[in-house]
Structures are given as C-alpha cells and as structure tokens.
Amino acid sequence: MSTTQDTHGLNERQVYDHRAIEARWQARWLETGVFAARADLSLPKYYVLDFFPYPSGTGLHVGHPLGYVATDIVARYKRHRGFNVLHPMGWDAFGLPAEQHALKTGVHPALTTRRNIDTFRRQLRSFGFSYDWSREVDTTDPTYYRWTQWIFLKLYERGLAYEAEVAVNWCPALGTVLANEEVIDGRSEVGGHPVIRRPMKQWLLRITAYAERLVKDLDLLDWPEHIKALQRNWIGRSAGAEVDFRVEQRAVPGDVPPGIEVPAGDGTGSYDQGNGPVLRIFTTRPDTLFGATYMVIAPEHPLAETLATSDNARACAEYRAAAASKTDFERSALNREKTGVFTGSYAINPVNDERLPIWIADYVMLGYGTGAIMAVPGHDERDHEFARAMKLPILEVVRATDIAAAAGSGAAAHPAAAAAAGAVPTSVGGDAKHARVQEAAYTGDGVLVNSGLLDGLDVPAAKARITEWLLQHKAGRPAVHTRLRDWLFSRQRYWGEPFPVLHHADGSVSTVPETDLPVRLPEVEKYQPSGTGESPLATVTEWVVTTDPVSGEGVRRETHTMPQWAGSCWYYLRFIDPRNEQAPVDPKLEKYWMPVDLYVGGAEHATLHLLYARFWHKVLFDAGVVSTPEPFHKLYCQGMILGEDHEKMSKSRGNTVSPDDVLPEYGADAFRLYEMFMGPLTAVKPWQTAGLSGTHRFLKRAWRLYVTDDGGLAVSDAAPSAEAMRAFHRTLAKVTDDIEALALNTAVSTMMEFVNVLVREGVGMPRALADGFLRMLSPFAPHITEELNARLHGADAPSLAWQKWPELDRSQLVEDDVEIAVQVNGKVRASIRVPKDADAAALTAAARAEPAVEKLLAGAVVKKVVAVPGRIVNFVLGGA
Ligand code: ANZ
C-alpha cells in the first residue's frame, strides 16, 4: 500500500494526528455545506436548536459548549436516521456589555460585536459542530431587526403594546430602567448597583393578557417539570374576587377631596361622583369579608394623595417618598417589620357597613391585583403582623372544623369552647369571641363564624355564597389576577432595536409603516445615557426629528430602544427562512419546520427568555403568522460545568478554561467525548483538563483498529467473532437508546467497552463492522470517523453526514450465556459462564474446570453433586 505524498506526510497517515484531521474535515464541511438543511419538504423533519449565545468579549469557555455538543450529537444522529435536520446557529448580539465597552473605549458597539462574533464563530467551528452556517442570523443586523420591529407593529395593532407612566426600576449608576427580572435583591443584575423606583413613561407589552394561556399550554409541552413549575409560579395565577368599598364622605366640607380623575379601566379604582370614591380591592379570600378590620392601599395608589386628610397629608407624603426608594423584593419580604401610615379616611364594608380605616403601607404592591386590600388580620399573616404593630382589631371569622364542632358551629363561639381551646383574650382589640386568633393568624380551612349570612359554611361554600351576594349587590365580582406584570419593554440605551414609533406634537403616537422598516439605528458620537432617563439616541437630532410618511407632519422618533430579549423572542423562526425579504418567515416553510423539536439550554432562562418567546409566539399564532400554539416542543436543560476548583467558572475567579487552550493538544473529538463522558447532561460537574487524555487515548485505540503502524488498513477481512458481533449490536442498541434519551455519558462508555473487546481480540476491526462502528461513533467524534471513512472508501467517498445509521440485529441481543454460581459445601466459590441450555453434566464439567474449584476438590471426596441447569452447581464433599 502506497502512502499518499500530497498534503500530509507519512507520519500523519499512521498516527492519529487530530490537528491535521480536524482542520481538514472542518474545511471540507464548510466548503461543501454538507450540513445544510434540505429543501425537500417531503422528508421527515427534525429541528434541533441551541440557546443562541450573546457574543461576549471574552469568548467561550469550556462550560459553554456542553449543550452544543449534545445537540450536535442529536443533529448528526437524526441525519443518519433519515431526518431532514435543521441545526442553526446565530448571535443574540444587542445588549449592555457591548454598550458599556463602547462607553469606556469609544469603540462603536457594532464593531465590538462584529469582532466578538468572529471569535465565537471561529471557536464554535473548532468543535466541528454540524451547523447550517448558511442560516446564521445576527439580531443586530438591520435585515433581522426589521422583522423584530415588524412584530412590534403586530403587537401594537393588537393592543398589546402601550405606553404608560409606571413606577419603574431606575438604576442611577447604569442610567437606565431595568426589568424586574434584571433586579436581584434590590440591585442591578449587571454590575450590582442599587435600584430605586420612580415613575416614567415607558412602553409595555401586555403579556398579562396571555397569562392564562401561558399557564394552560404548559400542559402541551415536553419540558422538565421544574421549569414548568417555575413558569407557573412566576405567572402566579390567583382566583378570587374584587370587592368595591365606598369611601366615607368626610364631615368637614373643606376636607372633601376635589374631583379626582382615575384613568378609566386601570383597575385600581373608580370615582363615583354620587357616592364618593370607591376603593376596589382584590382578595383570594372573599369568604373572610366580615373579618376585615382595616384597608391598605399601596403608596403609589392613585387615591393615595386624595385619601390623605389634611392632618395626615404630610406623614403620608413622607411615607410615600420613603417607599419609592425600596424595591418590591424588599417590600414584600415576609419577615420585614411592617410600616405604614393612616390616611385619616374610612371605607365602608359593603356586607355590614363597618367603618374601616384606610392605611397606606408598602407591603401592598401597586402592580398586583388592584393595589389595594381589605386587611383580615385574623386569617392573613402579614395583616396580622401589621394589626399587632398598629394596634388594630383582629377578628376571628374562620374556625378549624374540629374546634368549631366542639363549640357547636354557629354565629357566636361558646366562651367555654374558646377557653377549652386554651385561647386567652389579649389586650389587642379582642374579646373572648375572637380570642383564638389574637396570637397568630389562622390560615387553614374550617367553617365561618361571626360572619352573618356565611356562618356555618365551609370556606369554599362561603366563597361561592359571598361572591354571589356581591354580584347581587353590585359590590363585587369574581376575578382572576396574576403575579405576572406587563412586560416593561423600553430601555434607555443605544445598543438595541429602535421602536418603529413616531410621537406627534399633540401627544399622539403613530407607527412607521411596514414598508419603511427597518428604522435603522443611527451613528452616534457618544453612548452615555443622558441620565435623565432618555437614551443616547435623544441627542441625535437629525434622526429624532423627522416627518410622518403618512400625514407629512413633523414628528419625533421614539428614542428608547427595545430590551435584549426582543431579538431572542423569535430567532428560531428566522432560522427557518433567514433571507426572506417579504416576511419574517415563509408560511409554507414555517408549517414544515415548526415547532422546534428539541431545544437545549440553561435553566436560568426559565422565566425570562422562555416565557417571553412563548408569549410572542402566541401573539404571532393569533396573527396567523405561525401555525403552532407553542414554539419549543421538547426542552432540555443542561447542567453546569464548574472550574477545576469546583467553583462556578468565572473570569473574576480566574478558573475559566478556554477551548483555545485545550483543543490544540487533545482535539475537538476528544473534547466532545470528554464533555459527554463527564456525567449526565443535567448534572453539575467539575472540569478536569487531565480527563481529556482519557478520551484522546480511546480515540487512539479506535484508530489502531483501522490503521496499521505503517499507515495501511488494519481492517480484517475475516468474519467477526461471535463475541465481537454480539458486542457490536449491544453497543448499537445502547448508543441508539441513549442518544434518544440524551443519556450521552453511558453511550460513550459503551463504545469504549466495544473497542476494548476488539483490542482484546487483537485482529483489527472486522470489515463487516467497520462502517457500522464509524457511523455509531460519528455523532460524537465526527472528524476521526470521517477520516477513517475516507481511508476505507477513498478520499472521494461521500461524507458520513447523511449515511444511514447501522441496522440493528435484534437476534444478537438475546442473552444465550448465563452466569452460574459454583458452591462447595454450600459456599459460593466461583462463577462460570455457560450456554443457557447446558445440561447437568456440562455444568459439572465446566465447574470442575474452574481453577478455584479445582483446587478445593483436589484430593477430596465428592459425596454428591447438585447441578441444576441454568441455576447452580454445588459440590458436597465427604468428611467435612
Ligand atoms: C383578604 C385576605 C384574607 C387575603 C385572608 C388573604 C388571606 P395570592 O394568593 O398570592 O394571589 N393582596 C392582594 N393584592 C395585594 C397587593 N397588591 N399587594 C399585597 N398583597 C395583596 O394573594 C392574594 C392575597 O394577597 C389577597 O387576598 C390579598 O389579601 C393580598 F385570610 O385578601 B387577601
């Protein structure tokens, strides 16, 4: 056999030279575009997607590609199985870091981004991932964000994008407003700067309108249960009732509030000229209405100023100012000391006309429910704490069923029963009748007491009854509220998608016509946020001041930009049809490729990207742009790779390992195998560079089964042994099942065992198994397998990429040997492998031949042999 004298020398032909092999195949794959998804829409499809990365300035570390290796294995495997595979990659490239870099260095974010993308692309290619690079997208490219803006128009047309003056998370240090999700414990997620609350006019997306569907449709998805639970909690659907409390008109004429205007339909209250303002509250426990002893409104509640009587106005104003500097998180912490101020006004309980003092307290949030509550300290822990602190009365209206039964449930508890239950009236607003709840709120189930028409009913029945009563008396109605807030969609940054929005002199708003998209991001001189809340774009007058193409009027462009989440809300659609200039995606292609079959990424996105993208997808579904109700059918969340020091990899800890540091020495194939071999994909596991030598050694052993010391073929033409044959099919069965289940670590170890079997046999790779093993290994180690395939079948042989997966011979899986214990005098001394159908004589012979047994039997008298085929052999010795 002659060695080729072309690009590589003799050495490379005989040893496993991963550097030359990987470079050659990566170049070949790029040149031939072999991984491009096929245009033939009659083929079965498989869409396997990674969370696309933000191209940071530091490049990838070895933790990043974990999920990418797994999806690449699946993508390659599915091609072998005859699927038309879509496996794309792109860049989520808007965002703060590029802009902050620009602030420091003056380098335009577009330049930084391009440079970072080049690094990421080079690094990802060095792993040999089978991406269809012809579909690469970049969210900062105007041909991409044109369609992000287009989707914003769809949201706007459907009433799902609106401007509102809202209390926002204002970060003075970053000079911007942050989404709730970007604030962690009162500090900005990026940089850890303090965040305060302040009102500002912002764009919001009405994600709350989709809350019910976002919860319900989780049932359609093959997602990890814990991610579904996180989304359910985040959305936080609560069913209850809204109740309207009349605010008592004040006796002193001068103190009557002037006419106040509450924006219609904001859900926070209404103003009835005839009867004074109405305070609307939301409760999940309308059954406890008779237990309300005071009311609380959020400090930002629109009625807060009006309700404060002149005596209390100053204290109220001070309290509201202090509340503005706290985050929701700080305010809602359960164990926090409760604070508040009395407004001086009273509300009337519709069920019994009791006067309830109205307080302002920051444990009530404006963004939830109606921003106002009826406080039931007897049965709500936070209200209880507050009532104790402020010396407000505490009433018992629900009693545990057993206690109620002992007392004989009814309107008034028998004092003796209260005493029997060990309750002692306290000084705080209680009499014996309410003694039971003075020390702690009772939040359990039970029957209603002290509650007029509800007495004797259990909680669910009381809820139904009171809701009906409220409806009849026009004082309330059933209501569902969600914790989820509308999505704050404005950022005061430069490096984001401009809004296709025009502001008119009269304060009205119009949108840029679809045909005029994209609204391009203009060049700017400086990236400094103005600090007043306006974005750097506000300073680019020639861009801001423009004419409305519809009316010809002079208008000003919106200067805020969209948050980074915008581009990632729909990128999976653009991959399907990345160069379409007529639409975000062609409907025919969308129907074929959607939904994404497998989506792999980190669990940290559970309530952010994964919820936002589902929301946009549903809007696009309603707009007829997409055909499936959900975007991502199966979701898989990979675990994290820690540094060698078992800490989270981070630049600041200095424990990151770059693939650029390890790939030259060990190669991409060894790297891919190692990351899969480290443990289950979902596990958190420490990196060890030394571990790469193990998988590298495995590849060298496999190589030797195909290539001789002088560079010839080591493949043997002899038929494989029965053992090799069985081992091959067992390995194939295991690898197949494991890939389907993403149990990739055990797939690797099984292939290692198979190679060991052949190395033990010492005759090279049997030709009958040679192709099969390459195909089985190729999803994991694509370069070495392409190389060996080319050696087996010639340099012009077609790539392994679309070759058929090996055929499994099930008959080879049948276990025909059994393991049998050999006892001497009832004690297990050895075990033997024998054919399943071996008879007693054959068993006895095999057992005697076993060295350990032979030694014990030497010179002894065998009194009896018990040999049960398939079960056991026992030698009973004489004279023992
Ligand atoms: C009276 C009551 C009695 C309540 C009782 C609870 C127990 P979930 O279940 O989390 O939805 N609430 C309503 N709006 C609020 C706001 N803006 N800020 C703070 N708390 C608010 O919580 C619903 C309950 O939280 C509501 O039911 C209300 O207190 C309170 F024995 O009303 B409840």
Side-chain angles (χ1 to χ4, degrees):
M1 155 133 214
S2 71
T3 53
T4 47
Q5 295 299 312
D6 50 19
T7 52
H8 45 283
L10 180 67
N11 194 44
E12 194 211 320
R13 280 211 61 84
Q14 51 201 25
V15 301
Y16 168 47
D17 180 353
H18 63 264
R19 277 189 208 89
I21 292 169
E22 293 182 354
R24 181 159 57 246
W25 285 101
Q26 284 168 17
R28 179 84 60 87
W29 292 332
L30 264 186
E31 242 167 67
T32 54
V34 63
F35 303 119
R38 308 210 149 158
D40 180 355
L41 305 191
S42 67
L43 295 167
K45 69 95 184 180
Y46 197 83
Y47 187 174
V48 48
L49 182 67
D50 298 303
F51 284 25
F52 70 160
Y54 173 75
S56 71
T58 45
L60 292 174
H61 65 59
V62 293
H64 294 125
L66 179 69
Y68 302 161
V69 174
T71 52
D72 196 56
I73 289 168
V74 173
R76 287 173 176 273
Y77 165 77
K78 290 287 179 180
R79 283 188 205 99
H80 289 309
R81 302 246 53 169
F83 285 88
N84 186 11
V85 171
L86 177 54
H87 187 40
M89 182 43 84
W91 321 108
D92 187 16
F94 274 128
L96 270 183
E99 185 160 337
Q100 283 169 336
H101 184 72
L103 282 171
K104 268 188 250 147
T105 61
V107 179
H108 195 283
L111 257 169
T112 318
T113 301
R114 203 170 318 133
R115 232 175 14 223
N116 295 350
I117 286 177
D118 287 344
T119 304
F120 266 63
R121 192 190 298 106
R122 175 186 60 73
Q123 286 187 317
L124 289 179
R125 283 185 178 161
S126 71
F127 295 108
F129 293 140
S130 63
Y131 293 125
D132 179 349
W133 285 108
S134 71
R135 292 171 187 261
E136 187 179 327
V137 301
D138 164 3
T139 55
T140 68
D141 185 328
T143 65
Y144 181 92
Y145 70 67
R146 164 188 181 180
W147 298 107
T148 311
Q149 292 171 340
W150 183 88
I151 296 171
F152 177 84
L153 294 183
K154 299 294 129 191
L155 285 153
Y156 183 81
E157 284 160 17
R158 306 179 80 77
L160 297 168
Y162 63 97
E163 272 189 303
E165 188 90 36
V166 275
V168 293
N169 302 308
W170 169 250
C171 178
L174 295 176
T176 190
V177 168
L178 300 172
N180 292 328
E181 299 84 336
E182 293 168 319
V183 182
I184 295 168
D185 296 353
R187 289 179 172 269
S188 60
E189 187 184 15
V190 176
H193 306 293
V195 174
I196 59 168
R197 298 182 57 83
R198 104 173 208 205
M200 192 182 257
K201 198 160 190 189
Q202 307 282 310
W203 282 96
L204 286 108
L205 298 188
R206 216 178 288 283
I207 189 171
T208 51
Y210 281 72
E212 297 260 332
R213 280 163 72 189
L214 287 168
V215 171
K216 200 166 124 271
D217 288 356
L218 285 172
D219 295 341
L220 305 174
L221 302 176
D222 181 4
W223 283 22
E225 268 316 311
H226 72 279
I227 302 286
K228 289 190 185 183
L230 280 170
Q231 289 213 348
R232 280 194 200 100
N233 284 344
W234 186 262
I235 296 167
R237 181 186 184 279
S238 285
E242 286 174 357
V243 185
D244 296 337
F245 287 69
R246 243 180 338 104
V247 175
E248 187 186 61
Q249 292 288 47
R250 287 180 205 116
V252 190
D255 209 21
V256 172
I260 44 164
E261 276 181 69
V262 177
D266 71 347
T268 53
S270 64
Y271 187 71
D272 183 324
Q273 287 294 340
N275 298 312
V278 162
L279 193 55
R280 177 168 297 171
I281 64 102
F282 170 65
T283 176
T284 45
R285 295 292 307 274
D287 54 302
T288 63
L289 203 44
F290 287 87
T293 57
Y294 63 100
M295 313 284 291
V296 183
I297 62 173
E300 307 84 358
H301 195 283
L303 293 180
E305 209 174 319
T306 320
L307 291 175
T309 54
S310 42
D311 285 351
N312 300 284
R314 182 147 172 201
C316 286
E318 278 170 10
Y319 184 79
R320 292 167 60 215
S325 68
K326 289 182 200 152
T327 63
D328 281 3
F329 180 84
E330 291 171 321
R331 288 171 47 169
S332 59
L334 220 127
N335 49 3
R336 210 177 63 85
E337 197 190 319
K338 297 282 175 289
T339 61
V341 282
F342 177 45
T343 59
S345 294
Y346 290 83
I348 307 300
N349 190 338
V351 288
N352 56 11
D353 290 334
E354 289 281 339
R355 289 173 83 223
L356 305 177
I358 304 173
W359 287 67
I360 297 176
D362 67 3
Y363 76 97
V364 171
M365 307 291 158
L366 184 68
Y368 185 57
T370 62
I373 65 159
M374 63 171 191
V376 183
H379 304 282
D380 180 277
E381 284 170 18
R382 288 176 308 170
D383 295 345
H384 196 277
E385 230 181 286
F386 189 85
R388 302 259 309 209
M390 306 298 168
K391 307 228 180 310
L392 292 160
I394 302 172
L395 302 181
E396 182 191 31
V397 290
V398 180
R399 186 172 299 167
T401 318
D402 47 342
I403 300 174
S409 77
H414 197 281
V424 188
T426 71
S427 60
V428 188
D431 55 31
K433 188 162 121 175
H434 299 292
R436 212 169 266 109
V437 290
Q438 299 307 318
E439 287 303 317
Y442 174 66
T443 58
D445 266 338
V447 292
L448 276 285
V449 295
N450 305 321
S451 293
L453 76 156
L454 304 180
D455 278 347
L457 298 177
D458 63 14
V459 168
K463 280 182 178 171
R465 180 76 184 277
I466 194 68
T467 307
E468 200 183 302
W469 187 95
L470 289 167
L471 276 171
Q472 266 168 19
H473 292 79
K474 297 196 169 39
R477 62 213 64 81
V480 171
H481 282 274
T482 49
R483 284 227 164 264
L484 185 69
R485 323 278 175 83
D486 277 343
W487 174 12
L488 179 58
F489 200 63
S490 296
R491 294 293 181 278
Q492 291 61 52
R493 314 298 317 187
Y494 169 71
W495 194 228
E497 297 88 347
F499 283 86
V501 166
L502 304 170
H503 293 279
H504 296 249
D506 65 358
S508 66
V509 155
S510 69
T511 53
V512 175
E514 278 179 26
T515 44
D516 287 359
L517 299 183
V519 175
R520 283 170 187 272
L521 206 49
E523 296 281 324
V524 294
E525 297 289 302
K526 56 188 203 16
Y527 309 95
Q528 216 69 47
S530 59
T532 60
E534 287 200 279
S535 103
L537 286 178
T539 61
V540 193
T541 316
E542 47 311 351
W543 181 82
V544 175
V545 177
T546 183
T547 20
D548 176 7
V550 179
S551 66
E553 268 176 59
V555 286
R556 291 176 64 82
R557 289 189 192 280
E558 170 64 67
T559 59
H560 294 174
T561 54
M562 299 186 199
Q564 194 186 356
W565 309 109
S568 59
C569 269
W570 73 283
Y571 75 111
Y572 55 92
L573 291 173
R574 193 59 177 171
F575 279 139
I576 291 173
D577 196 9
R579 311 291 168 241
N580 193 332
E581 290 181 12
Q582 261 61 58
V585 59
D586 178 276
K588 205 167 83 242
L589 295 174
E590 184 279 329
K591 260 206 184 64
Y592 174 71
W593 285 111
M594 286 302 286
V596 172
D597 296 280
L598 175 66
Y599 195 24
V600 176
E604 68 276 14
H605 290 290
T607 49
L608 309 171
H609 160 62
L610 287 172
L611 194 61
Y612 295 149
R614 291 183 62 220
F615 164 48
W616 277 36
H617 193 85
K618 288 187 179 307
V619 175
L620 293 175
F621 178 76
D622 292 348
V625 179
V626 299
S627 60
T628 63
E630 286 284 336
F632 314 121
H633 177 65
K634 182 182 171 82
L635 175 75
Y636 201 87
C637 294
Q638 87 265 16
M640 209 190 319
I641 294 186
L642 304 174
E644 301 224 13
D645 56 359
H646 295 228
E647 297 285 336
K648 194 177 160 175
M649 272 195 199
S650 79
K651 216 180 135 193
S652 58
R653 276 207 191 81
N655 62 350
T656 57
V657 180
S658 162
D660 296 343
D661 300 335
V662 296
L663 287 188
E665 188 172 349
Y666 299 99
D669 284 343
F671 180 95
R672 295 165 61 113
L673 284 166
Y674 171 63
E675 291 222 332
M676 294 302 100
F677 188 62
M678 286 173 81
L681 196 54
T682 48
V684 176
K685 51 223 159 186
W687 173 263
Q688 278 181 312
T689 298
L692 283 167
S693 57
T695 48
H696 185 81
R697 223 172 313 119
F698 159 68
L699 289 172
K700 279 209 296 225
R701 282 156 76 80
W703 176 266
R704 273 286 161 256
L705 292 172
Y706 287 84
V707 180
T708 60
D709 284 346
D710 59 11
L713 280 182
V715 171
S716 109
D717 284 318
S721 70
E723 196 198 352
M725 203 62 180
R726 259 199 315 274
F728 175 84
H729 286 283
R730 282 200 197 116
T731 307
L732 177 60
K734 178 87 176 118
V735 170
T736 307
D737 291 350
D738 281 356
I739 296 178
E740 298 277 0
L742 287 167
L744 301 168
N745 54 326
T746 48
V748 174
S749 56
T750 308
M751 286 189 286
M752 289 176 167
E753 283 163 30
F754 173 65
V755 164
N756 288 344
V757 168
L758 292 181
V759 169
R760 265 205 307 276
E761 290 196 344
V763 289
M765 177 63 77
R767 192 173 290 278
L769 307 179
D771 286 330
F773 182 62
L774 290 185
R775 282 169 206 188
M776 197 194 307
L777 180 61
S778 78
F780 297 81
H783 309 86
I784 188 175
T785 46
E786 286 272 30
E787 177 70 18
L788 292 173
N789 181 58
R791 295 206 183 199
L792 278 177
H793 300 292
D796 296 331
S799 160
L800 276 178
W802 297 87
Q803 303 293 318
K804 274 192 71 177
W805 192 244
E807 202 76 56
L808 180 64
D809 179 355
R810 293 212 165 267
S811 71
Q812 294 286 348
L813 302 183
V814 179
E815 278 284 351
D816 36 23
D817 278 0
V818 282
E819 185 106 350
I820 287 199
V822 182
Q823 298 179 341
V824 176
N825 285 338
K827 222 172 164 184
V828 177
R829 296 295 185 175
S831 78
I832 49 172
R833 270 198 89 77
V834 290
K836 213 162 48 193
D837 48 5
D839 62 11
L843 277 190
T844 311
R848 278 185 184 280
E850 195 58 27
V853 178
E854 204 182 349
K855 227 162 70 197
L856 286 168
L857 298 194
V861 182
V862 177
K863 275 207 332 209
K864 197 167 134 196
V865 183
V866 184
V868 186
R871 300 282 299 280
I872 201 167
V873 185
N874 186 16
F875 294 95
V876 184
L877 305 188

